[in-house]
Amino acid sequence: MTSTSKRTGRRVGMRWTELLNNPEAINATYHRDPPDLRGVRMHEVSLQVEVPTLKLRFDLPAYPDRPPRKWLTQKYDTVQVELSFSGLKSISLSGFGSEISADVFLAGEGGVNVRATSPGFRLQADATTAFVSKLSAYANEW
């Protein structure tokens, strides 16, 4: 259920996947109930200049209840997603490190706004669109 805040005009209660141009793979994997993006393990933050794009690659905080059969046979236990934010309008980044566990929030206001925060890391960006550029799984060895 979504509603619109009278004060900000933003849609409230919206799932992050509703802001993606191509949510089908995530919706199919999580049977339309994707996990929220709190406490994700960040693996990569990258910028592309040719077509201004931000890419965030991170582990989703929950494994699906009914994963694809291939993932079961491979004994995968972690889902990783790469989200791309194209038509990048602005970006702000402070702090960084090798072990980042962040809360990621997406909002839609004149495009897609992304914010990722943790005690030693903060990223905020505005883009025209957001999409899944990769969805995979692996066996987490640590």
Side-chain angles (χ1 to χ4, degrees):
M1 177 170 103
T2 62
S3 62
T4 303
S5 167
K6 289 180 183 177
R7 188 175 62 79
T8 66
R10 287 187 180 187
R11 286 172 58 182
V12 180
M14 178 187 229
R15 286 192 174 136
W16 61 274
T17 53
E18 293 179 49
L19 293 167
L20 303 175
N21 282 1
N22 60 342
E24 299 83 9
I26 290 174
N27 284 336
T29 301
Y30 285 91
H31 303 279
R32 297 200 171 273
D33 190 23
D36 68 16
L37 300 180
R38 295 177 195 267
V40 303
R41 181 171 177 236
M42 197 69 65
H43 286 275
E44 183 177 4
V45 175
S46 66
L47 294 169
Q48 295 178 321
V49 294
E50 196 169 297
V51 176
T53 303
L54 165 68
K55 289 188 178 186
L56 300 178
R57 186 169 54 92
F58 52 86
D59 293 343
L60 291 174
Y63 196 71
D65 292 333
R66 297 177 305 199
R69 184 174 299 167
K70 179 182 177 180
W71 292 0
L72 287 172
T73 59
Q74 296 290 329
K75 298 189 186 329
Y76 294 157
D77 60 5
T78 304
V79 178
Q80 189 170 98
V81 66
E82 180 182 84
L83 297 182
S84 292
F85 301 88
S86 65
L88 192 61
K89 300 172 191 175
S90 67
I91 185 167
S92 170
L93 175 68
S94 63
F96 210 62
S98 59
E99 293 290 326
I100 298 173
S101 178
D103 295 337
V104 177
F105 301 97
L106 301 182
E109 189 177 307
V112 179
N113 315 104
V114 60
R115 189 177 78 230
T117 58
S118 75
F121 169 75
R122 181 169 171 77
L123 177 139
Q124 187 164 337
D126 297 314
T128 305
T129 60
F131 59 94
V132 177
S133 41
K134 187 175 182 181
L135 181 68
S136 58
Y138 69 98
N140 195 340
E141 301 293 328
W142 58 277

